[in-house]
Amino acid sequence: VLIGGGVGITPVLSMLNAIAECGSTRETWFFYGVRHGGEHIMRDHLRRLDQEHENIHVRACYSDVRPEDREGDDYDIGERVSVELFKRLLPSNNYAFYICGPPPMMNSLTDGLKQWGVPDERIYFEAFGPASVKPAKPPAAAAAALAPAAVSAKVAFARSGKSFPWSGESKSLLAFAESNGVAMESGCRAGNCGSCLVAVKSGKVRYLQPPGATVEPGSCLTCISVPDGDVTIDA
């Protein structure tokens, strides 16, 4: 579930575009909240994604509808984006939620999702402006995977001909590659679009969360994985 408020649409829209472009069939909901049609960014593009992809469900929510705003054309729902809305539209709370918006919206949604029983590890957010949302603690498995003392490894990039010792400071193999000047493809950075998929030439990786995209045997999603000992990837 992707949720954007105002100009906070930018990062979650990038994720939605990546899901559409890679041909993923994963069920994806996109809730976009603004006051009225004068603030509605990318209206035609979002409507087209909703119409062209059976697995993508876009819902534009206006909190202060103007007389000229047309329901079903300009917007879908005349209310704020809220957890109560999710309860009415989503089959269950068994989703990962990605949120970007102003702090009041972020606080309301993150608190509401937790009260609805959504685990902290399935709530991801990025605030803009004077953000005041406190990040949840990472799940124990992710914390262990990222702890510097947990893994002593060398990461080799086969095509680049480079190798570096894994320090445990990077959040993922993708972040580690970028910090060492190794260019890699990427999209959603959440394990859903498959853009960062590379072959694992030798060694193993560990995932920080279950992949949303299909992972072929002998490959890995670098945006949500870390080395499990020495590893060589095709990058």
Side-chain angles (χ1 to χ4, degrees):
V1 178
L2 308 176
I3 306 158
V7 295
I9 189 177
T10 304
V12 285
L13 179 58
S14 295
M15 295 173 66
L16 183 67
N17 287 337
I19 290 169
E21 290 168 5
C22 76
S24 171
T25 58
R26 186 180 190 186
E27 180 187 2
T28 303
W29 289 79
F30 187 92
F31 292 91
Y32 180 41
V34 293
R35 290 185 299 173
H36 48 67
E39 299 178 349
H40 194 158
I41 302 170
M42 304 293 288
R43 180 190 291 108
D44 293 341
H45 176 69
L46 289 171
R47 187 68 67 189
R48 185 167 60 253
L49 289 178
D50 180 77
Q51 293 172 348
E52 294 180 354
H53 300 271
E54 292 184 0
N55 60 305
I56 293 177
H57 313 286
V58 176
R59 298 294 181 268
C61 304
Y62 287 8
S63 61
D64 187 14
V65 179
R66 304 175 304 181
E68 61 266 37
D69 294 329
R70 297 165 296 174
E71 184 176 2
D73 188 5
D74 296 317
Y75 71 99
D76 302 293
I77 301 165
E79 62 182 83
R80 296 181 185 276
V81 178
S82 67
V83 174
E84 291 305 314
L85 176 62
F86 302 157
K87 291 178 180 179
R88 297 202 309 268
L89 297 184
L90 300 178
S92 72
N93 67 351
N94 189 27
Y95 294 86
F97 293 82
Y98 299 84
I99 316 166
C100 185
M105 174 187 180
M106 306 284 287
N107 282 309
S108 173
L109 290 178
T110 53
D111 289 346
L113 288 171
K114 292 174 185 178
Q115 292 173 10
W116 192 22
V118 180
D120 285 344
E121 58 264 31
R122 287 200 274 116
I123 302 174
Y124 306 87
F125 53 81
E126 177 180 339
F128 64 86
S132 58
V133 181
K134 293 183 179 180
K137 292 182 179 180
L146 291 174
V151 176
S152 176
K154 181 177 72 173
V155 179
F157 301 94
R159 277 187 288 156
S160 303
K162 299 178 179 180
S163 63
F164 306 94
W166 173 261
S167 64
E169 296 177 358
S170 296
K171 294 182 178 180
S172 65
L173 278 168
L174 174 61
F176 182 72
E178 292 174 338
S179 68
N180 285 287
V182 178
M184 296 183 65
E185 294 290 333
S186 65
C188 69
R189 294 178 179 263
N192 292 322
C193 71
S195 299
C196 67
L197 186 74
V198 299
V200 178
K201 310 293 283 186
S202 66
K204 297 187 297 182
V205 302
R206 285 189 287 165
Y207 283 105
L208 305 179
Q209 65 188 59
T214 301
V215 182
E216 299 295 333
S219 62
C220 75
L221 296 170
T222 56
C223 71
I224 57 168
S225 61
V226 294
D228 188 9
D230 292 349
V231 65
T232 300
I233 60 176
D234 188 25

